[in-house]
């Protein structure tokens, strides 16, 4: 976990009960979910296997170990999980060094949160080395804290990453808003007790108690996030 949050920012200013905002990275802030799938397709092609497009919904949004393990089992590829993880990270890193496109509304939302001194954390299942590369495009100073998949023993869909982020910012999970694009990430945030805004990127996500589903980040602003908390507390 990497944190730069000053003690004065461990609570949101004003009368809102919103204490912090946690954002997923791939598919939520940056348009990279397709990059991961392309990397997986290319690596397995090199190993002599074609990936079924239907598997894409299975592996999206999860930790590398789960996704890679599933694909090894599904294809019968002769490769170990550690070996495959290295190949996938290398292929993905090669793609993101050419530039990472932001999702619609991401730049505006991050600027608004920063302008209002809202403690903000980037919480991703991606490895630290990947997050550090993407932060070059997102802006490292936009986040009070970052949590990578290899910062916790159990990453998404377990609640650990979001619980760690809440502790790091001195916030109560129930007063934190999480923005996620996959069912795996939503499950992690909800298990941690956070309020969730789902912005589906690849597979659909149904509305539920404590969860709002929107079409894009362009529908989300600080007022929306504050209302999400006050309405559900």
């Amino acid at each position: 976990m990497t944190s730069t949050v000053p003690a004065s920012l461990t609570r949101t200013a004003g009368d809102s009960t919103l204490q912090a905002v946690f954002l997923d990275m791939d598919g939520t802030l940056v348009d990279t979910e397709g990059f991961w799938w392309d990397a997986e397709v290319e690596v397995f092609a090199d190993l002599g296997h074609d990936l079924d497009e239907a598997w894409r919904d299975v592996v999206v949004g999860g930790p590398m170990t789960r996704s890679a393990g599933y694909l090894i089992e599904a294809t019968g590829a002769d490769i170990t999980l550690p070996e495959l993880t290295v190949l996938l990270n290398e292929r993905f890193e090669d793609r993101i060094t050419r530039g990472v496109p932001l999702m619609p509304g991401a730049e505006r939302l991050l600027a608004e949160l920063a302008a209002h001194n809202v403690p903000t954390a980037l919480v991703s299942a991606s490895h630290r080395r990947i997050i550090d590369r993407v932060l070059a495009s997102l802006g490292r100073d936009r986040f009070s804290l970052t949590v990578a998949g290899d910062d916790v023993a159990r990453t998404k869909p377990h609640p650990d990453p979001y619980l760690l982020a809440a502790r790091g910012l001195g916030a109560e999970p129930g007063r934190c808003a999480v923005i996620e694009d996959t069912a795996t990430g939503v499950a992690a945030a909800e298990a941690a007790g956070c309020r969730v805004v789902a912005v589906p990127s690849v597979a659909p996500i149904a509305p539920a108690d404590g969860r709002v589903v929107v079409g894009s980040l362009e529908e989300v602003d600080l007022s929306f996030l504050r209302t999400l908390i006050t309405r559900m507390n």
Side-chain angles (χ1 to χ4, degrees):
M1 177 178 70
T2 299
S3 174
T4 59
V5 61
S8 61
L9 293 187
T10 56
R11 290 291 185 271
T12 301
D15 60 356
S16 170
T17 58
L18 176 70
Q19 292 180 349
V21 176
F22 304 149
L23 302 108
D24 173 55
M25 187 177 75
D26 296 301
T28 300
L29 288 177
V30 291
D31 191 8
T32 53
E33 290 292 8
F35 286 17
W36 277 114
W37 178 249
D38 291 344
E40 288 160 348
V41 168
E42 291 173 5
V43 168
F44 275 91
D46 291 344
L47 296 171
H49 297 275
D50 294 327
L51 298 189
D52 189 321
E53 184 71 23
W55 298 339
R56 184 172 182 169
D57 289 351
V58 179
V59 301
V60 68
M64 170 79 70
T65 51
R66 191 198 72 182
S67 300
Y70 174 86
L71 293 174
I72 290 174
E73 183 176 351
T75 60
D78 184 18
I79 190 171
T80 67
L81 183 57
E83 290 170 340
L84 179 58
T85 298
V86 169
L87 293 177
L88 290 175
N89 272 321
E90 288 177 347
R91 196 67 59 97
F92 183 77
E93 282 187 72
D94 179 61
R95 286 180 170 273
I96 62 177
T97 53
R98 307 171 205 168
V100 180
L102 270 62
M103 298 295 286
E107 176 67 31
R108 174 202 51 78
L109 178 59
L110 290 173
E112 182 181 16
L113 294 174
H116 288 83
N117 292 328
V118 178
T120 305
L122 183 69
V123 182
S124 175
S126 292
H127 289 185
R128 171 62 56 189
R129 57 189 281 192
I130 298 296
I131 287 181
D132 287 344
R133 290 287 186 93
V134 175
L135 282 172
S137 296
L138 278 176
R140 190 179 302 272
D141 60 343
R142 295 282 182 79
F143 304 97
S144 307
L145 178 148
T146 62
V147 177
D150 44 350
D151 288 338
V152 290
R154 303 185 308 169
T155 188
K156 305 173 188 180
H158 298 287
D160 305 37
Y162 285 111
L163 293 174
L164 179 61
R167 287 196 301 272
L169 294 182
E172 301 170 28
R175 292 189 177 186
C176 297
V178 172
I179 305 178
E180 276 279 0
D181 72 304
T182 67
T184 299
V186 167
E190 291 179 344
C194 301
R195 307 308 182 189
V196 179
V197 179
V199 191
S201 62
V202 177
I205 299 173
D209 290 343
R211 178 197 313 167
V212 176
V213 180
V214 299
S216 82
L217 289 180
E218 294 180 321
E219 301 176 41
V220 181
D221 59 16
L222 180 54
S223 177
F224 178 95
L225 295 173
R226 283 176 169 161
T227 300
L228 180 71
I229 301 298
T230 56
R231 188 172 71 234
M232 295 176 178
N233 278 294

